Amino acid sequence: MKDTDPQRRAVELVTATPQYAEVITSLAERTGRDEQELRVEAGAALDEMAAYVDESASRLWDRLGRWLTRSYEVDVDPAGLEQLAELGRHHSLVWLPNHRSYLDPLVLRAATTGHGFPANYTLGGINLAMWPLSELGRRSGLVFIRRSSRDDPVYPAMLRLYLGFLLRHHANLEWYFEGGRTRTGKLRPPKMGVLRYLVDAFLATGDEGDDAYLVPVSIVYDQQHEVSALSLEEGGGTKTPHTLAWLVRFARAQGRRRGSAHVRFGPPLSLREALSDAGARAAS
């Protein structure tokens, strides 16, 4: 195992756990498939989603982020960030922002930079994994996941294991659980799949002294370039495919000043306390 390949190392650490062996055995019993065949498929899924944080790549990603968000001044209320940073020194933080723009992860990163937070492991749709930026993103903590794994029991099982691996290493997570950008300005109904996987992974860690904290995040823009495209889609128009040409057009469109991006943080919610309260209510 080479230390120079942290992405491969993460996959090998996951596949070396007793939980991985138990999951493969369970999948073989449920599906009637050969264990070795399942291991190959599981390894490919983990390779696809595994990410890591490299300092050099992260600096390049941050420079790209500052350029892409140049339309906005990031307005962040620092109240509460010190408390969150202290929590983050001992527990995983799970940032759950609303989703208005493809710029949201870059804006949130800019808002937390300089306050003592490590880079988040940000879950995003694999439809946005466009080479060569996808490789830079993976080396900066971007976890590309499939939007749907229907009729595929292997992929969600590996995602649970990978989330558990990140929790055991006290990584901070981030995803946009509306499942897509709002087309009306209102919050969309939450997609609970990844949160369910996180809860499963958290319970499987078995460390009763540990915890993770869910952090609600609000991101609001004075103006958005994407509004016209979102309005077209809301009216039944076809969504523009995500290609490098689309990305270039999107980047160029951010050259005009559009005011501020306002970032606010809600009180953190202890996942362990929430699960304990839910268990107590279910038992009563």
Side-chain angles (χ1 to χ4, degrees):
M1 190 185 306
K2 296 182 179 181
D3 292 338
T4 54
D5 187 0
Q7 182 179 4
R8 185 69 235 162
R9 177 176 174 78
V11 172
E12 292 180 356
L13 287 172
V14 172
T15 57
T17 61
Q19 293 93 336
Y20 174 80
E22 292 169 4
V23 167
I24 293 296
T25 299
S26 175
L27 286 170
E29 293 173 351
R30 285 166 49 199
T31 64
R33 295 173 59 187
D34 177 72
E35 282 199 16
Q36 183 55 35
E37 178 184 324
L38 289 169
R39 289 177 185 274
V40 171
E41 188 173 329
L46 287 168
D47 281 334
E48 185 180 272
M49 67 182 71
Y52 62 101
V53 177
D54 172 79
E55 288 188 11
S56 297
S58 293
R59 284 195 294 270
L60 286 175
W61 188 256
D62 287 340
R63 287 176 62 185
L64 176 64
R66 287 192 294 271
W67 181 68
L68 284 173
T69 59
R70 64 195 185 278
S71 288
Y72 303 99
E73 178 182 351
V74 177
D75 164 42
V76 56
D77 181 0
L81 279 179
E82 186 174 330
Q83 176 197 7
L84 289 171
E86 181 61 30
L87 278 176
R89 292 187 183 96
H90 307 283
H91 308 287
S92 288
L93 301 179
V94 182
W95 307 87
L96 297 176
N98 63 317
H99 198 14
R100 291 180 176 268
S101 169
Y102 290 121
L103 299 176
D104 292 341
L106 302 174
V107 168
L108 178 57
R109 188 160 174 140
T112 56
T113 295
H115 293 278
F117 298 100
N120 294 340
Y121 282 78
T122 303
L123 280 63
I126 200 167
N127 58 305
L128 293 173
M130 290 173 283
W131 189 89
L133 289 181
S134 57
E135 293 310 306
L136 180 61
R138 280 193 177 92
R139 292 168 59 192
S140 306
L142 189 52
V143 180
F144 292 108
I145 61 173
R146 301 174 193 174
R147 287 189 172 274
S148 175
S149 56
R150 186 174 299 174
D151 302 323
D152 177 8
V154 177
Y155 187 84
M158 292 306 106
L159 183 54
R160 287 185 180 94
L161 287 178
Y162 186 58
L163 290 176
F165 166 78
L166 293 175
L167 287 177
R168 286 194 298 276
H169 286 78
H170 289 168
N172 289 347
L173 305 177
E174 172 191 343
W175 74 87
Y176 296 77
F177 74 153
E178 291 172 89
R181 294 169 299 159
T182 178
R183 285 164 171 76
T184 64
K186 298 179 180 179
L187 288 173
R188 299 174 65 176
K191 305 290 185 181
M192 305 301 289
V194 176
L195 187 58
R196 185 176 69 247
Y197 297 160
L198 178 79
V199 169
D200 291 343
F202 178 76
L203 292 174
T205 60
D207 186 353
E208 295 187 2
D210 205 356
D211 203 349
Y213 285 82
L214 309 182
V215 183
V217 183
S218 168
I219 304 176
V220 178
Y221 300 84
D222 287 343
Q223 300 179 52
Q224 284 183 254
H225 160 70
E226 294 155 273
V227 167
S228 57
L230 290 168
S231 298
L232 179 64
E233 293 172 26
E234 179 67 16
T238 302
K239 185 176 182 179
T240 304
H242 294 138
T243 62
L244 280 176
W246 165 85
L247 180 60
V248 170
R249 291 193 299 271
F250 180 82
R252 285 175 176 170
Q254 307 309 318
R256 184 168 69 84
R257 294 294 298 177
R258 292 188 172 86
S260 295
H262 307 274
V263 185
R264 298 293 184 270
F265 305 96
L269 173 68
S270 163
L271 183 56
R272 184 166 297 283
E273 289 181 10
L275 292 174
S276 177
D277 291 344
R281 288 196 299 271
S284 60

